[in-house]
Amino acid sequence: MADNVTALKASRERAASTSSGYLMLFLLLLDILLIAFGAYNLSNYAAGWAPVLAVLLGPIALLLIAPGFFMLQPNQASAITLFGDYRGTDRATGLRWVWPWMIRKKVSVRSVNFISERIKVNDLRGNPIEMAAQIVWRVVDTAQALFDVDDYREFVKVQVEAAIRTIGSRYPYDDFEHKEITLRGNHDEVGVELRKELIARLAVAGITIDECGFTHLAYATEIAGAMLRRQQAQAVVAARRTLVDGAVGMVEMALASLSEKGVVHLDDERRAAMVSNLMVVLCGERDTQPVVNTGTLYT
């Protein structure tokens, strides 16, 4: 028998029915004056039942109005619930008022800068590397952030680490031949992939990513020395290859120019000797010492 799995009930933010706190503040002050009037004229029988009603009903109105005030700053929201049922979110700034039996939970919708810890990841080629990222995130749906995940801040931390591991294993750390996208050489492309991965993972919590990038990217300590020597060797080989290609082109040009202008005619043996000498001169790391031949090419 297949297991019955209850799907998560996705929440969606909607506007809450709240009132301006300034109007209710005026009514509160008016109620206080009414209570004071009733207490002052309570012993005045000529006033009738009005002072008695003011003394009896005034405190009840005071208890209903006073606890309902709350204040919202810019880029701050308050989720309203009634006996556990979500009744909407108030994003209006300033002094606000709602019935006192409604629970208010404030949520910041400002941008939050988060720098992850350094984590060890195996790249596409299995090399252990250390990675850390800087993330700018913010809440866009307060209902999802509060009711669809248990702790949305902790949820962000866990998902950031998971996304870094996913992206780190998707690309190699380095490719000296520049034939594929790498973590070290393509920060912009990899950063875009990381942002897409994070947006997809954090959508369930009503959170979006405004900016992200790597703050630390290096080989793990245990292989850093070996990989550095490997990079140095690859750089030397690449430099030698470039140097040899350039030297061959210069030798070909020199021989072609000599033959074209008829400066000197060389047989195959002397041509090979000349090519060897030119290659030594062009590819050598030290300055060459010229030897002046006072005889002929054949003695």
Side-chain angles (χ1 to χ4, degrees):
M1 183 176 65
D3 295 334
N4 293 325
V5 179
T6 303
L8 177 68
K9 182 181 178 181
S11 303
R12 286 293 180 270
E13 180 180 321
R14 61 178 184 270
S17 178
T18 60
S19 303
S20 172
Y22 301 103
L23 176 61
M24 301 306 298
L25 181 61
F26 173 77
L27 294 178
L28 179 65
L29 295 177
L30 188 63
D31 181 64
I32 293 175
L33 293 176
L34 186 63
I35 294 173
F37 168 79
Y40 180 78
N41 294 283
L42 191 61
S43 58
N44 186 3
Y45 296 101
W49 289 95
V52 177
L53 293 176
V55 172
L56 292 178
L57 299 180
I60 297 176
L62 182 65
L63 293 176
L64 290 177
I65 297 176
F69 290 100
F70 64 99
M71 187 177 297
L72 291 178
Q73 299 178 357
N75 293 317
Q76 194 176 40
S78 180
I80 311 298
T81 58
L82 176 61
F83 306 123
D85 184 26
Y86 174 62
R87 307 299 293 178
T89 298
D90 188 7
R91 288 178 176 257
T93 59
L95 187 63
R96 308 295 296 170
W97 184 88
V98 74
W99 291 110
W101 49 79
M102 289 185 171
I103 305 300
R104 288 93 64 187
K105 185 173 180 60
K106 291 184 179 180
V107 181
S108 174
V109 293
R110 300 164 182 165
S111 295
V112 180
N113 189 47
F114 170 69
I115 299 178
S116 68
E117 297 182 356
R118 295 182 183 181
I119 59 177
K120 187 176 292 186
V121 184
N122 290 332
D123 70 352
L124 182 63
R125 295 172 182 168
N127 298 318
I129 58 177
E130 292 181 349
M131 303 178 68
Q134 173 261 341
I135 310 295
V136 179
W137 61 272
R138 58 188 172 88
V139 175
V140 293
D141 192 305
T142 58
Q144 286 184 294
L146 290 176
F147 307 122
D148 289 358
V149 293
D150 188 53
D151 185 344
Y152 67 90
R153 293 183 179 273
E154 189 64 26
F155 186 79
V156 170
K157 294 180 181 179
V158 174
Q159 293 302 321
V160 166
E161 181 177 344
I164 291 175
R165 292 187 183 277
T166 300
I167 297 300
S169 62
R170 188 178 298 173
Y171 300 100
Y173 175 81
D174 198 4
D175 177 25
F176 197 81
E177 296 180 354
H178 305 289
K179 293 182 179 180
E180 54 185 336
I181 297 178
T182 62
L183 297 173
R184 190 175 71 90
N186 302 90
H187 288 282
D188 294 337
E189 292 86 343
V190 177
V192 170
E193 289 295 323
L194 177 61
R195 183 171 181 268
K196 291 180 180 178
E197 183 73 19
L198 284 170
I199 289 176
R201 288 175 175 270
L202 297 175
V204 67
I207 294 173
T208 190
I209 303 297
D210 292 330
E211 179 185 346
C212 65
F214 293 106
T215 58
H216 177 75
L217 183 62
Y219 281 113
T221 307
E222 59 267 24
I223 67 166
M227 298 308 294
L228 178 60
R229 290 192 295 271
R230 176 184 174 184
Q231 289 178 351
Q232 291 173 343
Q234 289 177 332
V236 171
V237 170
R240 288 293 185 184
R241 183 181 295 112
T242 302
L243 184 62
V244 170
D245 291 341
V248 169
M250 294 178 67
V251 170
E252 290 178 349
M253 182 177 62
L255 293 176
S257 180
L258 290 174
S259 300
E260 181 182 353
K261 295 180 180 180
V263 177
V264 63
H265 297 282
L266 302 174
D267 56 17
D268 292 340
E269 181 180 355
R270 299 306 172 183
R271 184 185 296 271
M274 185 176 182
V275 169
S276 175
N277 292 335
L278 287 175
M279 292 296 294
V280 171
V281 171
L282 294 174
C283 296
E285 294 184 357
R286 298 181 180 179
D287 295 336
T288 57
Q289 299 295 327
V291 176
V292 180
N293 186 4
T294 57
T296 67
L297 291 175
Y298 298 92
T299 59

